[in-house]
Amino acid sequence: MKMNEHALNLLRDLSDAPGASGFEDEVVKVARQYAASIGEMKEDFLRNLYIYRKENTGNKPVLLLDGHSDEVGLIVHSIKPNGCLRFLQLGSWNKNALVSSKVLVRNAKGEYIPGIIAAKPVHFMSAAEKANPSMDISNMVIDIGATSYQDAVENFHVRMGEPVVPATKFYHDEKRGLLFGKAFDCRIGCAAMLEALHRLEGKDLPCDVVAVLSTQEEVGHRGSQVAIHNVKPDIAVVMEGCPADDTFTESYAIQTALGKGPMFRHMDISVICAPRYQRWALDLAAKKGIPVQESVREGGGNNAATVQSTLSGAPAIVAGVPVRYAHSTDCISTEFDFEATVQMVMALLENIDADVIRGM
Ligand SMILES: [Zn+2]
């Protein structure tokens, strides 16, 4: 299964957009461009972006389609006398992924300027440091090339509180159907959601669909906590770019591999996805011949937790595009998984009706 040009451009633009938690402005801008034909859009103070299908009637059950717009990022903590920047995490990183990474630091003029998370040259490392390099964030710095505090402030215009994201650019390996980029958690989920809505334009659906690009998921589902109150959903489908386990796990325990379709989790440590709904969705996939995977996750967390614990606790499932190396600077996914996810989301939107919701 191949992606079309529209979907590839959508994913590229979303992946490349800088959008650390709390600083999702560029992502919202890209989403607005692509969603203009889908329906009316609104925002709230957190910059949650609400997209109301223009075919919505106002008298059908409300289906929330959620994808989070933020990505794990960093934030400038302070500027050292030598011009290097100390930082804290926005969301949770594998610290091994940080050192030597190229990053983009937003400055006071709103420009994203290049930097490198400094790796101490091996020439200056003691034997003890070589054997056991420190991965403590408080010892790491971003080098933007400045030579002093004054240089950093006056010539680079950096300041405390500004966001930092990986400098990774999207790359499409057309021959092998592979996708490389940053922030696939959850931009690839957002792209699949917007692509599905685009393909369903003009079609009558059994539910009124409100899609939300929700902010600040990586720091504790903060955007979705507000969005639920505005949407008041009867049922929800949560999109994710979810971590693939096929390069680390023993084969019997692999539950999220590349090339096997979207992953539907029975649970993670934040939520038990409504079991009857989950089974119904897996049966629907089988009936439609759409490849899907299922998992019982030992870690993780997602916005379905918010949906099922707010207002009336609407049933929620999670459609996750498998992503290798989520929460690091560089991710890998596949065209096949993207396409299978789009088809599955379309099947869900075409088949969830009032009777199905009553059955939950
Ligand atoms: Zn996510």
mmCIF file of all heavy atoms in Angstrom, residues 179-209:
data_model
loop_
_atom_site.group_PDB
_atom_site.id
_atom_site.type_symbol
_atom_site.label_atom_id
_atom_site.label_comp_id
_atom_site.label_asym_id
_atom_site.label_seq_id
_atom_site.Cartn_x
_atom_site.Cartn_y
_atom_site.Cartn_z
ATOM 1 N N LEU A 179 9.448 5.772 5.853
ATOM 2 C CA LEU A 179 9.312 7.165 6.250
ATOM 3 C C LEU A 179 10.248 7.427 7.421
ATOM 4 O O LEU A 179 10.228 6.677 8.402
ATOM 5 C CB LEU A 179 7.869 7.429 6.700
ATOM 6 C CG LEU A 179 6.775 6.949 5.732
ATOM 7 C CD1 LEU A 179 5.427 6.884 6.440
ATOM 8 C CD2 LEU A 179 6.690 7.877 4.525
ATOM 9 N N PHE A 180 11.060 8.452 7.282
ATOM 10 C CA PHE A 180 11.985 8.834 8.355
ATOM 11 C C PHE A 180 11.651 10.269 8.774
ATOM 12 O O PHE A 180 11.391 11.110 7.907
ATOM 13 C CB PHE A 180 13.440 8.810 7.861
ATOM 14 C CG PHE A 180 13.954 7.437 7.489
ATOM 15 C CD1 PHE A 180 13.635 6.863 6.273
ATOM 16 C CD2 PHE A 180 14.758 6.724 8.371
ATOM 17 C CE1 PHE A 180 14.105 5.599 5.926
ATOM 18 C CE2 PHE A 180 15.236 5.469 8.040
ATOM 19 C CZ PHE A 180 14.919 4.902 6.813
ATOM 20 N N GLY A 181 11.694 10.561 10.056
ATOM 21 C CA GLY A 181 11.441 11.932 10.484
ATOM 22 C C GLY A 181 11.355 12.027 11.983
ATOM 23 O O GLY A 181 11.481 11.034 12.693
ATOM 24 N N LYS A 182 11.120 13.248 12.445
ATOM 25 C CA LYS A 182 10.957 13.463 13.884
ATOM 26 C C LYS A 182 9.466 13.539 14.220
ATOM 27 O O LYS A 182 8.628 13.667 13.324
ATOM 28 C CB LYS A 182 11.658 14.756 14.300
ATOM 29 C CG LYS A 182 10.906 16.015 13.898
ATOM 30 C CD LYS A 182 11.418 17.221 14.642
ATOM 31 C CE LYS A 182 10.729 18.493 14.173
ATOM 32 N NZ LYS A 182 9.307 18.609 14.543
ATOM 33 N N ALA A 183 9.172 13.437 15.496
ATOM 34 C CA ALA A 183 7.828 13.763 16.016
ATOM 35 C C ALA A 183 6.713 12.906 15.414
ATOM 36 O O ALA A 183 5.565 13.321 15.366
ATOM 37 C CB ALA A 183 7.519 15.251 15.792
ATOM 38 N N PHE A 184 7.056 11.683 14.930
ATOM 39 C CA PHE A 184 5.986 10.818 14.401
ATOM 40 C C PHE A 184 4.966 10.496 15.500
ATOM 41 O O PHE A 184 3.842 10.140 15.212
ATOM 42 C CB PHE A 184 6.578 9.536 13.805
ATOM 43 C CG PHE A 184 7.194 9.715 12.435
ATOM 44 C CD1 PHE A 184 7.230 10.956 11.810
ATOM 45 C CD2 PHE A 184 7.723 8.625 11.752
ATOM 46 C CE1 PHE A 184 7.787 11.114 10.543
ATOM 47 C CE2 PHE A 184 8.282 8.767 10.488
ATOM 48 C CZ PHE A 184 8.310 10.014 9.877
ATOM 49 N N ASP A 185 5.379 10.581 16.751
ATOM 50 C CA ASP A 185 4.463 10.551 17.897
ATOM 51 C C ASP A 185 4.123 12.000 18.209
ATOM 52 O O ASP A 185 4.918 12.692 18.830
ATOM 53 C CB ASP A 185 5.131 9.858 19.085
ATOM 54 C CG ASP A 185 4.324 9.937 20.370
ATOM 55 O OD1 ASP A 185 3.172 10.357 20.316
ATOM 56 O OD2 ASP A 185 4.873 9.579 21.430
ATOM 57 N N CYS A 186 3.034 12.534 17.750
ATOM 58 C CA CYS A 186 1.897 11.867 17.138
ATOM 59 C C CYS A 186 1.593 12.456 15.756
ATOM 60 O O CYS A 186 0.503 12.319 15.251
ATOM 61 C CB CYS A 186 0.707 12.039 18.063
ATOM 62 S SG CYS A 186 -0.844 11.346 17.534
ATOM 63 N N ARG A 187 2.566 13.105 15.115
ATOM 64 C CA ARG A 187 2.221 13.766 13.842
ATOM 65 C C ARG A 187 1.765 12.772 12.790
ATOM 66 O O ARG A 187 0.952 13.103 11.924
ATOM 67 C CB ARG A 187 3.410 14.561 13.305
ATOM 68 C CG ARG A 187 3.983 15.598 14.242
ATOM 69 C CD ARG A 187 3.092 16.786 14.501
ATOM 70 N NE ARG A 187 3.542 17.470 15.708
ATOM 71 C CZ ARG A 187 4.734 18.082 15.825
ATOM 72 N NH1 ARG A 187 5.562 18.143 14.782
ATOM 73 N NH2 ARG A 187 5.061 18.635 16.961
ATOM 74 N N ILE A 188 2.298 11.530 12.840
ATOM 75 C CA ILE A 188 1.853 10.550 11.836
ATOM 76 C C ILE A 188 0.407 10.145 12.132
ATOM 77 O O ILE A 188 -0.374 9.869 11.217
ATOM 78 C CB ILE A 188 2.820 9.346 11.749
ATOM 79 C CG1 ILE A 188 2.627 8.591 10.427
ATOM 80 C CG2 ILE A 188 2.683 8.404 12.943
ATOM 81 C CD1 ILE A 188 3.765 7.649 10.063
ATOM 82 N N GLY A 189 0.033 10.168 13.424
ATOM 83 C CA GLY A 189 -1.361 9.923 13.794
ATOM 84 C C GLY A 189 -2.249 11.080 13.351
ATOM 85 O O GLY A 189 -3.346 10.871 12.826
ATOM 86 N N CYS A 190 -1.745 12.313 13.533
ATOM 87 C CA CYS A 190 -2.504 13.500 13.086
ATOM 88 C C CYS A 190 -2.672 13.470 11.565
ATOM 89 O O CYS A 190 -3.745 13.786 11.038
ATOM 90 C CB CYS A 190 -1.788 14.781 13.492
ATOM 91 S SG CYS A 190 -1.694 15.040 15.264
ATOM 92 N N ALA A 191 -1.604 13.084 10.865
ATOM 93 C CA ALA A 191 -1.664 13.033 9.393
ATOM 94 C C ALA A 191 -2.667 11.978 8.937
ATOM 95 O O ALA A 191 -3.466 12.230 8.020
ATOM 96 C CB ALA A 191 -0.274 12.742 8.823
ATOM 97 N N ALA A 192 -2.664 10.817 9.572
ATOM 98 C CA ALA A 192 -3.611 9.751 9.195
ATOM 99 C C ALA A 192 -5.047 10.212 9.444
ATOM 100 O O ALA A 192 -5.951 9.961 8.641
ATOM 101 C CB ALA A 192 -3.311 8.480 9.988
ATOM 102 N N MET A 193 -5.245 10.923 10.553
ATOM 103 C CA MET A 193 -6.570 11.440 10.895
ATOM 104 C C MET A 193 -7.055 12.456 9.850
ATOM 105 O O MET A 193 -8.170 12.356 9.335
ATOM 106 C CB MET A 193 -6.449 12.077 12.281
ATOM 107 C CG MET A 193 -7.542 12.954 12.738
ATOM 108 S SD MET A 193 -7.229 13.369 14.501
ATOM 109 C CE MET A 193 -7.083 15.128 14.378
ATOM 110 N N LEU A 194 -6.185 13.415 9.498
ATOM 111 C CA LEU A 194 -6.585 14.446 8.526
ATOM 112 C C LEU A 194 -6.762 13.848 7.134
ATOM 113 O O LEU A 194 -7.638 14.249 6.374
ATOM 114 C CB LEU A 194 -5.558 15.580 8.502
ATOM 115 C CG LEU A 194 -5.487 16.432 9.776
ATOM 116 C CD1 LEU A 194 -4.354 17.462 9.683
ATOM 117 C CD2 LEU A 194 -6.811 17.141 10.047
ATOM 118 N N GLU A 195 -5.937 12.858 6.789
ATOM 119 C CA GLU A 195 -6.063 12.207 5.487
ATOM 120 C C GLU A 195 -7.387 11.434 5.392
ATOM 121 O O GLU A 195 -8.080 11.497 4.375
ATOM 122 C CB GLU A 195 -4.870 11.270 5.246
ATOM 123 C CG GLU A 195 -4.870 10.549 3.910
ATOM 124 C CD GLU A 195 -4.729 11.461 2.699
ATOM 125 O OE1 GLU A 195 -4.279 12.622 2.850
ATOM 126 O OE2 GLU A 195 -5.092 11.014 1.582
ATOM 127 N N ALA A 196 -7.738 10.738 6.478
ATOM 128 C CA ALA A 196 -9.011 9.997 6.483
ATOM 129 C C ALA A 196 -10.180 10.968 6.328
ATOM 130 O O ALA A 196 -11.107 10.727 5.537
ATOM 131 C CB ALA A 196 -9.148 9.194 7.771
ATOM 132 N N LEU A 197 -10.145 12.085 7.050
ATOM 133 C CA LEU A 197 -11.229 13.072 6.961
ATOM 134 C C LEU A 197 -11.296 13.679 5.564
ATOM 135 O O LEU A 197 -12.374 13.936 5.032
ATOM 136 C CB LEU A 197 -11.040 14.176 8.008
ATOM 137 C CG LEU A 197 -11.281 13.750 9.459
ATOM 138 C CD1 LEU A 197 -10.890 14.867 10.413
ATOM 139 C CD2 LEU A 197 -12.747 13.356 9.676
ATOM 140 N N HIS A 198 -10.126 13.886 4.963
ATOM 141 C CA HIS A 198 -10.075 14.430 3.602
ATOM 142 C C HIS A 198 -10.759 13.477 2.617
ATOM 143 O O HIS A 198 -11.567 13.883 1.784
ATOM 144 C CB HIS A 198 -8.607 14.654 3.224
ATOM 145 C CG HIS A 198 -8.384 15.107 1.831
ATOM 146 N ND1 HIS A 198 -8.914 16.278 1.335
ATOM 147 C CD2 HIS A 198 -7.692 14.548 0.805
ATOM 148 C CE1 HIS A 198 -8.557 16.416 0.067
ATOM 149 N NE2 HIS A 198 -7.822 15.385 -0.280
ATOM 150 N N ARG A 199 -10.465 12.183 2.761
ATOM 151 C CA ARG A 199 -11.062 11.203 1.841
ATOM 152 C C ARG A 199 -12.552 11.018 2.072
ATOM 153 O O ARG A 199 -13.264 10.538 1.198
ATOM 154 C CB ARG A 199 -10.343 9.850 1.971
ATOM 155 C CG ARG A 199 -8.903 9.917 1.473
ATOM 156 C CD ARG A 199 -8.239 8.555 1.454
ATOM 157 N NE ARG A 199 -6.786 8.707 1.420
ATOM 158 C CZ ARG A 199 -5.933 7.686 1.535
ATOM 159 N NH1 ARG A 199 -6.387 6.451 1.674
ATOM 160 N NH2 ARG A 199 -4.640 7.906 1.498
ATOM 161 N N LEU A 200 -13.017 11.381 3.265
ATOM 162 C CA LEU A 200 -14.450 11.220 3.579
ATOM 163 C C LEU A 200 -15.248 12.496 3.306
ATOM 164 O O LEU A 200 -16.441 12.547 3.596
ATOM 165 C CB LEU A 200 -14.610 10.818 5.050
ATOM 166 C CG LEU A 200 -14.180 9.383 5.402
ATOM 167 C CD1 LEU A 200 -14.109 9.199 6.911
ATOM 168 C CD2 LEU A 200 -15.116 8.357 4.782
ATOM 169 N N GLU A 201 -14.584 13.515 2.739
ATOM 170 C CA GLU A 201 -15.292 14.770 2.470
ATOM 171 C C GLU A 201 -16.491 14.515 1.566
ATOM 172 O O GLU A 201 -16.377 13.793 0.579
ATOM 173 C CB GLU A 201 -14.347 15.789 1.800
ATOM 174 C CG GLU A 201 -13.523 16.562 2.798
ATOM 175 C CD GLU A 201 -12.543 17.515 2.129
ATOM 176 O OE1 GLU A 201 -12.933 18.208 1.175
ATOM 177 O OE2 GLU A 201 -11.376 17.534 2.567
ATOM 178 N N GLY A 202 -17.631 15.108 1.934
ATOM 179 C CA GLY A 202 -18.852 14.983 1.130
ATOM 180 C C GLY A 202 -19.647 13.730 1.441
ATOM 181 O O GLY A 202 -20.772 13.567 0.963
ATOM 182 N N LYS A 203 -19.091 12.818 2.237
ATOM 183 C CA LYS A 203 -19.812 11.573 2.543
ATOM 184 C C LYS A 203 -20.637 11.719 3.815
ATOM 185 O O LYS A 203 -20.241 12.381 4.768
ATOM 186 C CB LYS A 203 -18.803 10.427 2.732
ATOM 187 C CG LYS A 203 -18.046 10.073 1.469
ATOM 188 C CD LYS A 203 -17.779 8.567 1.385
ATOM 189 C CE LYS A 203 -17.193 8.213 0.027
ATOM 190 N NZ LYS A 203 -15.750 7.955 0.094
ATOM 191 N N ASP A 204 -21.791 11.063 3.790
ATOM 192 C CA ASP A 204 -22.661 11.020 4.947
ATOM 193 C C ASP A 204 -22.134 9.980 5.929
ATOM 194 O O ASP A 204 -21.824 8.870 5.529
ATOM 195 C CB ASP A 204 -24.050 10.594 4.446
ATOM 196 C CG ASP A 204 -25.137 11.187 5.287
ATOM 197 O OD1 ASP A 204 -24.918 12.272 5.845
ATOM 198 O OD2 ASP A 204 -26.201 10.550 5.383
ATOM 199 N N LEU A 205 -21.990 10.347 7.201
ATOM 200 C CA LEU A 205 -21.511 9.394 8.196
ATOM 201 C C LEU A 205 -22.554 9.244 9.309
ATOM 202 O O LEU A 205 -23.340 10.167 9.542
ATOM 203 C CB LEU A 205 -20.181 9.874 8.811
ATOM 204 C CG LEU A 205 -18.972 9.956 7.877
ATOM 205 C CD1 LEU A 205 -17.756 10.509 8.620
ATOM 206 C CD2 LEU A 205 -18.646 8.596 7.259
ATOM 207 N N PRO A 206 -22.572 8.110 9.982
ATOM 208 C CA PRO A 206 -23.587 7.885 11.029
ATOM 209 C C PRO A 206 -23.350 8.683 12.312
ATOM 210 O O PRO A 206 -24.196 8.681 13.191
ATOM 211 C CB PRO A 206 -23.511 6.376 11.299
ATOM 212 C CG PRO A 206 -22.209 5.921 10.758
ATOM 213 C CD PRO A 206 -21.781 6.891 9.709
ATOM 214 N N CYS A 207 -22.185 9.333 12.444
ATOM 215 C CA CYS A 207 -21.916 10.184 13.613
ATOM 216 C C CYS A 207 -21.505 11.576 13.146
ATOM 217 O O CYS A 207 -21.008 11.736 12.036
ATOM 218 C CB CYS A 207 -20.769 9.607 14.451
ATOM 219 S SG CYS A 207 -21.255 8.280 15.550
ATOM 220 N N ASP A 208 -21.668 12.564 14.021
ATOM 221 C CA ASP A 208 -21.059 13.880 13.801
ATOM 222 C C ASP A 208 -19.628 13.795 14.315
ATOM 223 O O ASP A 208 -19.414 13.430 15.473
ATOM 224 C CB ASP A 208 -21.829 14.959 14.562
ATOM 225 C CG ASP A 208 -23.134 15.323 13.866
ATOM 226 O OD1 ASP A 208 -23.334 14.886 12.712
ATOM 227 O OD2 ASP A 208 -23.967 16.017 14.483
ATOM 228 N N VAL A 209 -18.685 14.116 13.450
ATOM 229 C CA VAL A 209 -17.278 13.934 13.811
ATOM 230 C C VAL A 209 -16.645 15.283 14.175
ATOM 231 O O VAL A 209 -16.734 16.237 13.412
ATOM 232 C CB VAL A 209 -16.485 13.289 12.656
ATOM 233 C CG1 VAL A 209 -15.007 13.138 13.035
ATOM 234 C CG2 VAL A 209 -17.078 11.931 12.291
#
